[in-house]
Amino acid sequence: MGKSSCCSKEGLRKGAWTDWEDKILASYINVHGEGKWRNLPKRAGLKRCCRSCRLRWVNYLRPDIKRGNISHDEEELIIRLHNLLGNRWSLIAGRLPGRTDNEIKNYWNTTLAKRAKAQASIEAKTIPTKSRLNEPSKSSTKIEVIRTKAIRCSSKVMVPLQPPATHQHGQHHYSNNNEEMGGDIATIEAHNGIQMLESLYSDGGCDLLSFEINELLKSHDGGEFEENPMQEHFPLGEAMFKGWSTSHCLDDNGATDLAFLLDADEWP
DNA sequence: AACCTTGTCAACCGCATGGGT
DNA sequence: AACCCATGCGGTTGACAAGGT
C-alpha cells in the first residue's frame, strides 16, 4: 500500500508546474476526461507523477475553479462547517462551489485559525474568571481542532436532530463551541446536537450531507429551528434515534460529537 | 539597498479506503 | 482471505512574495 509505484520512478519532474506542462495536462484531460491517472503522464507525455498530475488538475487547472478573494459569506460558511466537521477539508470544499479542499485548508491555516485564536484570547481576558468557572464544559480559550485521520467520505450517516426544547443541563448538555470562533456562528450545530453525516445510506452520495447542512444553515439564518427534512426522506427507527441520543456521542461538545460519528468504525 | 521575518499557497508525502482479482 | 492497484484525504513542507528594520 502507501505510495503508488508510479511516483517512485526516477527522472520525474517535481516542484512548480510550467505553463507548458499545464497546457499539456489540460488539453489531455479535455480530450480524454478525468481518471486513469496512472497512465495519464505517460500518455500525455508528461514527466510527472500521476498523483502530481491529479493534484495539479484538481487544485489548479479545473475550469470551474474560483480563485482568490474568499468572500465574507464563504468565510462564514467555512467557519461554520469547520466547527461542524472539523478538518474535513474535502467535505467543506464540497459546500463551496469552485473552491478546493487545498485552498480552504490553506485559508483556514493562514487566516481563520489565527483569527479564531485571537478571538479566543480576547474572550479569555474579557470574561471574568468566575463566570468561566461556572461553565464547566466550555473549553473556553483553547481552540478545539479535531485531529482526524485521512478517511475517505464514501458513505453517509444520518443522525437525528434534537429540538432545542429538549436540551437541558445534565445528560444532554450542549455548549456552543463556536463562541471560540467569534460569537454566534454555527450555534445551530451545537443546538441541534447532531445532524447527519456519512454512512448508512450509501446510495445517496455526499448530496445528503450537502442537503442537510443547507437546511440547517437556512433554518439558522431564519432564526428558527425547523423539522429535519431528511427524516421525511429517510425515516429512521425510533430505537435508532434513542440509541444515538442516549449514547456518549452526545456529550457537551458538538464538534467532538461529530468527530466521534465520523471516525466511528462501528458504522456499517 | 540589503537583510530578515512573516505570510501565502502550490505541491509533496504518507496513509487510508474501495474495488478487482 | 490476501494481495495489488487506483485514487482520495489531510498534514506538512518549501519556494516565493511582501513587509519591516
Side-chain angles (χ1 to χ4, degrees):
Chain A
M1 297 274 193
K3 212 169 160 184
S4 67
S5 55
C6 86
C7 302
S8 55
K9 285 180 189 164
E10 287 183 15
L12 294 180
R13 276 177 53 80
K14 286 172 78 172
W17 280 65
T18 63
D19 287 346
W20 174 76
E21 289 175 311
D22 282 347
K23 276 179 192 165
I24 291 179
L25 179 60
S27 58
Y28 182 89
I29 292 175
N30 285 334
V31 172
H32 298 95
E34 289 185 49
K36 310 267 182 187
W37 297 107
R38 186 178 172 79
N39 298 327
L40 187 149
K42 197 177 173 186
R43 290 175 185 270
L46 286 164
K47 288 186 181 336
R48 288 277 181 176
C49 157
C50 58
R51 299 196 308 171
S52 180
C53 292
R54 180 188 153 270
L55 210 63
R56 184 64 177 172
W57 173 255
V58 167
N59 287 333
Y60 196 85
L61 295 175
R62 238 170 41 190
D64 56 333
I65 285 179
K66 224 194 277 178
R67 305 191 65 76
N69 296 332
I70 290 183
S71 68
H72 179 74
D73 285 348
E74 286 177 312
E75 187 180 299
E76 192 165 310
L77 191 55
I78 291 170
I79 293 170
R80 290 183 187 192
L81 291 170
H82 184 268
N83 209 64
L84 178 68
L85 300 166
N87 293 358
R88 288 187 157 74
W89 306 115
S90 61
L91 279 178
I92 295 172
R95 293 299 310 151
L96 291 142
R99 301 295 184 186
T100 68
D101 53 357
N102 210 29
E103 187 178 15
I104 291 168
K105 180 172 61 180
N106 282 333
Y107 188 67
W108 177 269
N109 288 335
T110 59
T111 309
L112 298 180
K114 243 175 280 171
R115 199 180 300 170
K117 204 171 183 177
Q119 179 74 27
S121 68
I122 288 168
E123 285 180 10
K125 284 175 188 167
T126 53
I127 298 171
T129 313
K130 196 177 175 184
S131 65
R132 271 187 279 147
L133 287 172
N134 289 337
E135 301 171 45
S137 61
K138 286 184 183 175
S139 50
S140 58
T141 61
K142 186 164 169 259
I143 304 298
E144 183 102 17
V145 175
I146 302 170
R147 310 289 293 193
T148 59
K149 292 178 187 173
I151 294 170
R152 197 184 304 184
C153 173
S154 54
S155 52
K156 357 228 110 354
V157 150
M158 191 169 66
V159 185
L161 294 174
Q162 296 280 339
T166 64
H167 298 167
Q168 293 179 352
H169 294 289
Q171 187 179 7
H172 297 160
H173 173 72
Y174 299 93
S175 68
N176 181 4
N177 192 40
N178 300 285
E179 284 183 3
E180 300 155 6
M181 312 298 293
D184 190 37
I185 295 170
T187 310
I188 185 73
E189 293 85 355
H191 276 286
N192 276 341
I194 313 187
Q195 291 80 39
M196 53 81 56
L197 295 169
E198 359 179 41
S199 200
L200 281 191
Y201 298 99
S202 56
D203 55 348
C206 282
D207 290 348
L208 285 180
L209 179 59
S210 303
F211 178 72
E212 178 69 8
I213 293 171
N214 243 349
E215 293 302 317
L216 284 164
L217 296 178
K218 263 194 280 174
S219 64
H220 182 47
D221 291 341
E224 55 183 314
F225 297 92
E226 296 171 355
E227 276 201 342
N228 177 11
M230 295 305 293
Q231 291 185 23
E232 280 182 32
H233 302 289
F234 300 96
L236 297 175
E238 277 186 33
M240 194 184 287
F241 282 5
K242 206 169 183 178
W244 276 330
S245 63
T246 55
S247 74
H248 64 282
C249 70
L250 294 179
D251 62 17
D252 54 9
N253 185 316
T256 309
D257 294 343
L258 294 162
F260 166 82
L261 291 163
L262 285 163
D263 288 334
D265 293 325
E266 300 87 348
W267 300 112

